[in-house]
Amino acid sequence: MNDLERRLGDAVEAHGVPGASAAVLIGDAVHLAATGLANRQTAAPATPDTPFQIGSATKAMTASLVMQSVERGQIELDAPVRHYLPEFRLAGPSTAITVRHLLTHTSGIKGDFFIDLGDGPDALARYVEALRDVPTLYEPGRFYSYCNAGYPVLGRICEVTGQGMWDDLLKSRLFDPLGMTRSASRPADRAALGTAIGYDRAPDGTWKPGVLSSRSTGPSGSTVASTAGDLLRFARMHLDHGKGRDGTSVLSTKTVLEMRIPQVRVPGDSFAGSWGLGWMLMNWDGVAQYGHDGATAGSLSLLRVFPARRIAIALLCNAGDGANFMRSMAGALFQDLVQVNFPKPPTPSERSFDLRQYAGRYERYFAAVEVEPEGNELICRAFNLTQSGEQTPREPVQIFRLKPKTAEMFVEPAKAGGRPPLSAVFLEFDASGAPQFLFAGARAMKRVA
């Protein structure tokens, strides 16, 4: 770790991201590094004390708040959501959805529902009300599909049972006892800490500040900023059997271990093998790890914990298109510290398949894919949708060719350099052999035609 800052700087320069921060825990030793710019307009440098937007890594914190309430007898994992929020309704069946379903992304809610309801104290309550217009894709518990909409509901349950705003509970029950003094969820607090500006790259190659979301989706990851070092403090609590910085109990040993128990398999093992109670769970080359990644407002985050080795890695950057930087830097740390690598992408089979039954259109929020067989390939045309379902632009934004590995999994042939090959999994085949769902990008898309 003596050259962590140099290696981070080399990766930032190689991949052209504005700035980045890294923190590594090895045993009880913490190593910190930061490089580049936190703000391109002011040329403010990124330092180890610079918070970055952490996106969906927040979900592990919201899950920890829920599990604290479970320990206190305020929440039961298998109780229906309506037991705590009688107003909870969807444009589809909702009575059987439980707290556990929300934690494990198995609720069946059409998940990427984002709406700006302001930063007022009633933002989460108003979000729950707005879900009345959101449909369900399948009955709860059927399979995994990443669901951003579930975590604001969990945040609201914490508010109702904990008798305080989610932001206040997050600070008093996690940030303060863990010494996360450089973490915040409210806009004024983030600004006071000098939070890095996130950037998205425009089509002409220029950087544009990322669009921040409102508090109504804060528990999913739209508002929290943190340093890599503070993320390690959170990870260390889970490694230390739920103990805070002064030895006080934040969670019990039983709870932190329960959160790592697989609850549902992730189709295709494309980015995680299974999901726990708030954690993504992986086992690479026989080495178990857990963590959560995030993306929001032109920023990316990665948090991974290898409990048997007592190693944790937190990595942050302020580039919305910094996935190759994150993968390169994280991959090097994984290899050097734990001797594991990102799994190799699956390869197509040499078998021939009858692909006619896969043809059709599959949809979720903001995206649709039209699948057409051609020989032993599926041509997949991807379209952008508005939240109301309008297709814009009319032409496909991307076209992929996938070949079968099995009757369920299809993969993109490997390409030299660039992003990893895509994969897709077809689910829930009917009596005629036609799949009813396409699973890609961690989300299920329902067959509509």
Side-chain angles (χ1 to χ4, degrees):
M1 291 292 96
N2 292 333
D3 64 346
L4 179 62
E5 187 162 329
R6 179 193 63 76
R7 296 174 67 181
L8 188 68
D10 289 347
V12 163
E13 184 175 353
H15 294 280
V17 301
S21 181
V24 178
L25 174 72
I26 306 174
D28 289 320
V30 175
H31 306 268
L32 304 174
T35 190
L37 296 177
N39 187 319
R40 289 173 53 85
Q41 284 67 41
T42 65
T47 75
D49 285 335
T50 302
F52 288 70
Q53 294 275 124
I54 66 169
S56 287
T58 303
K59 288 184 174 72
M61 298 177 184
T62 299
S64 296
L65 287 180
V66 170
M67 297 306 292
Q68 283 181 336
S69 295
V70 170
E71 288 185 352
R72 298 175 185 191
Q74 297 168 329
I75 294 176
E76 294 182 12
L77 288 179
D78 295 310
V81 172
R82 282 197 196 174
H83 178 74
Y84 307 102
L85 306 176
E87 68 277 18
F88 176 68
R89 297 287 189 281
L90 299 164
S94 59
T95 57
I97 295 175
T98 67
V99 175
R100 190 186 300 271
H101 289 141
L102 299 181
L103 282 171
T104 59
H105 302 279
T106 56
S107 67
I109 301 173
K110 195 173 183 180
D112 288 327
F113 178 65
F114 298 102
I115 185 170
D116 189 347
L117 297 169
D119 293 319
D122 62 345
L124 295 185
R126 294 174 63 194
Y127 185 91
V128 173
E129 290 286 342
L131 285 174
R132 291 174 179 268
D133 298 324
V134 175
T136 55
L137 291 173
Y138 54 86
E139 63 272 18
R142 192 167 172 183
F143 51 79
Y144 169 95
S145 179
Y146 194 80
C147 180
N148 275 298
Y151 273 72
V153 180
L154 290 170
R156 180 57 182 160
I157 293 174
C158 288
E159 290 187 337
V160 170
T161 60
Q163 298 182 328
M165 290 178 60
W166 173 79
D167 303 81
D168 295 330
L169 296 172
L170 189 67
K171 185 176 187 304
S172 64
R173 287 164 49 173
L174 285 180
F175 291 171
D176 288 349
L178 298 181
M180 297 173 65
T181 59
R182 304 292 297 173
S183 300
S185 61
R186 289 189 169 94
D189 296 335
R190 293 197 308 264
L193 292 174
T195 296
I197 303 297
Y199 294 95
D200 290 315
R201 203 186 302 265
D204 63 0
T206 60
W207 291 105
K208 303 292 184 184
V211 178
L212 293 170
S213 300
S214 73
R215 180 181 171 270
S216 55
T217 50
S220 280
S222 64
T223 62
V224 172
S226 184
T227 63
D230 271 6
L231 276 182
L232 277 197
R233 290 180 176 90
F234 174 69
R236 190 165 186 167
M237 178 270 288
H238 278 269
L239 274 173
D240 289 341
H241 305 285
K243 301 299 182 185
R245 60 174 173 170
D246 58 357
T248 58
S249 179
V250 177
L251 290 169
S252 70
T253 299
K254 176 179 180 294
T255 294
V256 296
L257 294 177
E258 184 180 4
M259 291 178 70
R260 303 179 209 165
I261 296 173
Q263 304 287 312
V264 60
R265 177 181 170 271
V266 176
D269 299 340
S270 55
F271 65 100
S274 55
W275 215 268
L277 296 173
W279 290 120
M280 50 193 288
L281 307 173
M282 293 77 72
N283 191 304
W284 297 352
D285 301 327
V287 179
Q289 63 171 296
Y290 62 91
H292 211 301
D293 301 340
T296 189
S299 301
L300 301 179
S301 69
L302 176 145
L303 177 62
R304 301 296 177 85
V305 182
F306 299 86
R309 312 287 181 90
R310 196 171 171 75
I311 289 174
I313 297 167
L315 188 60
L316 307 169
C317 81
N318 56 347
D321 66 349
N324 285 338
F325 158 77
M326 298 289 279
R327 186 177 178 89
S328 172
M329 188 68 198
L333 292 173
F334 293 162
Q335 175 59 45
D336 288 353
L337 300 178
V338 199
Q339 293 77 54
V340 299
N341 297 295
F342 281 103
K344 292 182 179 179
T347 56
S349 168
E350 298 298 324
R351 293 171 51 200
S352 294
F353 293 82
D354 183 355
L355 304 183
R356 290 173 293 180
Q357 297 285 22
Y358 300 86
R361 182 180 173 91
Y362 303 79
E363 291 185 358
R364 63 172 175 85
Y365 268 139
F366 302 115
V369 173
E370 291 182 353
V371 176
E372 178 185 1
E374 184 178 278
N376 202 36
E377 290 185 327
L378 293 179
I379 302 175
C380 301
R381 296 179 174 87
F383 299 89
N384 287 337
L385 303 181
T386 65
Q387 192 152 285
S388 63
E390 180 184 354
Q391 188 168 297
T392 177
R394 299 298 300 174
E395 297 302 313
V397 292
Q398 288 179 303
I399 299 176
F400 305 104
R401 289 180 173 268
L402 303 179
K403 292 187 175 183
K405 176 177 176 62
T406 66
E408 293 80 24
M409 174 176 277
F410 285 71
V411 298
E412 190 178 30
K415 298 178 179 180
R419 59 168 175 76
L422 297 173
S423 64
V425 179
F426 291 90
L427 303 169
E428 303 292 323
F429 290 76
D430 65 16
S432 70
Q436 301 307 297
F437 294 91
L438 168 61
F439 182 87
R443 294 156 174 84
M445 310 179 78
K446 190 172 185 178
R447 187 176 188 150
V448 297

